[in-house]
Amino acid sequence: MTLKQKVAVVTGSTSGIGLGIARALAGAGADVVLNGFGDAGAIEELRAGLAKDFGVRVGFHNADMSKPAEIADLIGYATREFGSVDVLVNNAGIQHVAPVEEFAPERWDAVIAINLSAVFHGIHHALAGMKQKGWGRIINIASVHGQVASVNKVAYVAAKHGVVGITKTVALETAGTGVTCNAICPGWVLTPLVQKQIDALAASKGLPEVQAKAELLGAKQPSGEFVTPDQLGQLAVFLCSDAAAQMTGANLTMDGGWTAQ
Ligand code: NAD
């Protein structure tokens, strides 16, 4: 299977799951546009490394996904510089953990903007080009929290349930056009976003890191192991394949059994 001649935009791909997906898509031959925050030198190293490892074109755009005008610029940059946006992976996301009555309204606004509204804005700008070509793949990185809730994550759970709703709606609106829209719902993946929660657990209970990790997994993820960015990347590659042409509107869990309970 090859994604040669296809252009993939992966939001939030300077780290974690987004980077794993960008690597997997580049490995399948796609040209890739990276996006996200971080040290400019480190990002340039990532960009050049991906291009060299896989012999594909790799660009970077620093759109802040909480800002609709910058999302429009990101899609415009990819279309102008790379020719099209064939695969859009809406992955950028943040977390904030607090009980609802203590949840700062600014944190609510930020989580909703980046984890939910950015998904709408990205699709809004990219879809016309996909429809015109009669081929497109939209992959939204939701979460197990798009299907079930956990305490102290009100904005994240609301946003991810919203992402599942966007996914189903866009799947219906694009059915029969050659464009598919699916959501991937990961359980725990060991990324900087989760490391912060492990550090907080270790600090609050006075646990060594290894025990905090085991406790975090034990509470929710029956496999007792983290999902990896590479495994999620391979699922994204599958969703881009011809075999997945009739998969649309799906919410695909990769969660070590979390939501089977
Ligand atoms: P991460 O913190 O490693 O990566 C987040 C990426 O998003 C980074 O590249 C960061 O620079 C970028 N980003 C953050 N705010 C941004 C903004 N305003 N504009 C542009 N880029 C921004 O986190 P991750 O764990 O890889 O999370 C990626 C996605 O996967 C998120 O949507 C998250 O909700 C989801 N997810 C993560 C897990 C997990 O266990 N790690 C589980 C389920 C779902």
Side-chain angles (χ1 to χ4, degrees):
M1 214 257 344
T2 179
L3 289 175
K4 275 197 188 342
Q5 317 292 334
K6 305 285 193 219
V7 179
V9 172
V10 185
T11 72
S13 46
T14 53
S15 155
I17 294 171
L19 181 56
I21 291 176
R23 282 194 75 80
L25 294 174
D31 292 332
V32 173
V33 175
L34 300 172
N35 155 262
F37 295 153
D39 171 72
I43 292 173
E44 174 52 24
E45 224 171 277
L46 270 183
R47 192 205 62 74
L50 270 185
K52 184 163 171 279
D53 289 352
F54 300 109
V56 296
R57 287 185 70 202
V58 182
F60 170 73
H61 190 283
N62 67 353
D64 178 340
M65 299 305 290
S66 70
K67 305 210 164 104
E70 296 189 20
I71 300 172
D73 278 353
L74 165 66
I75 301 299
Y77 161 80
T79 309
R80 211 170 46 245
E81 300 294 325
F82 288 72
S84 57
V85 176
D86 305 297
V87 178
L88 173 63
V89 182
N90 289 303
N91 166 80
I94 57 170
Q95 177 62 282
H96 182 69
V97 181
V100 64
E101 72 276 26
E102 291 164 22
F103 209 97
E106 315 81 73
R107 298 317 299 159
W108 167 272
D109 288 344
V111 173
I112 296 298
I114 297 164
N115 295 21
L116 177 61
S117 299
V119 178
F120 159 75
H121 291 294
I123 296 170
H124 176 73
H125 291 294
L127 189 53
M130 292 180 182
K131 278 184 163 170
Q132 207 172 12
K133 285 180 83 175
W135 195 94
R137 294 288 188 267
I138 299 166
I139 301 171
N140 299 323
I141 307 307
S143 164
V144 285
H145 287 116
Q147 306 193 6
V148 296
S150 293
V151 294
N152 299 337
K153 295 185 175 176
V154 66
Y156 190 86
V157 170
K160 296 301 187 181
H161 275 68
V163 170
V164 168
I166 292 176
T167 303
K168 291 177 181 172
T169 307
V170 173
L172 293 178
E173 292 186 16
T174 53
T177 66
V179 178
T180 68
C181 181
N182 293 289
I184 295 179
C185 298
W188 289 125
V189 188
L190 189 52
T191 67
L193 181 142
V194 165
Q195 187 63 47
K196 281 186 207 149
Q197 296 172 65
I198 292 167
D199 294 345
L201 184 66
S204 75
K205 294 199 172 175
L207 297 173
E209 181 173 333
V210 63
Q211 217 172 315
K213 275 184 186 160
E215 194 162 307
L216 187 100
L217 285 167
K220 299 281 187 182
Q221 198 145 303
S223 69
E225 290 174 26
F226 289 102
V227 180
T228 69
D230 181 57
Q231 288 164 342
L232 292 161
Q234 295 310 321
L235 179 54
V237 169
F238 171 73
L239 286 172
C240 293
S241 71
D242 289 343
Q246 289 302 316
M247 276 181 90
T248 195
N251 302 298
L252 303 163
T253 50
M254 190 182 271
D255 65 1
W258 182 323
T259 52
Q261 298 169 99

